[in-house]
């Protein structure tokens, strides 16, 4: 990584998003390790922060409860993502003969990292590949934090 100038919060400076993420990461470093932000779900007062709950109506799926998550970026910084209300997600239909494992994640889309569109984050389902065994979770994409695994059994 190159030198990032100006340093964060210098008077009369114009600061990049990566500079802000690295500054936040400095506050969340485990054991003082340089450039290694700790990602994860922030504990909530009621204990349900970003927990994933199964639902059957109106359609089969899950609900991600309100909460806050820190998602690490590729440079050692973090994205801080806030969900203020419960968020419903649909789980794709099951295979007739094979099981699969889906991941429920907090996913950040950042144009600076090559994603199209404006910067945003969203809870989403990453569908696994059906298999004859118990199923294997899909590979976690960059700028994602796993919230839950969902076993989708053959119908």
């Amino acid at each position: 990584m190159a030198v990032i100038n100006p340093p964060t919060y210098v008077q009369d400076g114009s600061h990049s998003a990566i500079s802000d993420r690295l500054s936040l990461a400095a506050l969340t470093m485990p054991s003082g390790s340089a450039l290694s932000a700790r990602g994860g779900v922030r504990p909530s007062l009621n204990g349900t922060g970003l927990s994933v709950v199964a639902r059957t109506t109106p359609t089969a799926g899950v609900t991600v409860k309100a909460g806050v998550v820190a998602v690490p970026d590729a440079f050692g910084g973090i994205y801080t993502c806030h969900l203020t209300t419960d968020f419903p997600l649909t789980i794709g239909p099951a295979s007739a003969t094979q099981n699969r494992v889906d991941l429920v994640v907090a996913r950040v889309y950042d144009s600076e990292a090559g994603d199209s569109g404006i910067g945003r984050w969203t809870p989403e389902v990453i569908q696994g590949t059906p298999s004859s065994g118990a199923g294997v979770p899909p590979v976690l994409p960059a700028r994602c934090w796993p919230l839950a695994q969902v076993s989708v059994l053959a119908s």
Side-chain angles (χ1 to χ4, degrees):
M1 178 186 302
V3 173
I4 298 174
N5 275 310
T8 309
Y9 309 121
V10 171
Q11 187 67 31
D12 299 325
S14 176
H15 307 289
S16 65
I18 185 69
S19 177
D20 284 342
R21 288 193 304 273
L22 289 171
S23 294
L24 287 172
L27 301 174
T28 59
M29 288 183 205
S31 307
S33 302
L35 296 178
S36 61
R38 183 181 306 200
V41 175
R42 180 175 181 226
S44 63
L45 293 176
N46 64 4
T48 64
L50 291 182
S51 59
V52 178
V53 180
R55 70 166 203 283
T56 56
T57 57
T59 59
V62 297
T63 297
V64 179
K65 305 301 271 180
V68 179
V69 63
V71 178
D73 73 6
F75 303 107
I78 57 170
Y79 301 95
T80 305
C81 307
H82 304 268
L83 183 63
T84 59
T85 60
D86 295 351
F87 195 92
L89 292 169
T90 301
I91 300 294
S95 163
T97 59
Q98 296 182 313
N99 301 321
R100 73 168 196 269
V101 175
D102 293 350
L103 288 179
V104 177
V105 301
R107 188 169 190 175
V108 174
Y109 292 90
D110 184 353
S111 61
E112 183 177 50
D115 299 324
S116 62
I118 60 170
R120 65 182 178 87
W121 87 277
T122 187
E124 66 181 49
V125 175
I126 299 173
Q127 189 168 311
T129 303
S131 71
S132 58
V136 177
V139 174
L140 189 66
R143 296 173 306 286
C144 283
W145 190 262
L147 301 175
Q149 286 188 11
V150 177
S151 294
V152 182
L153 302 178
S155 58

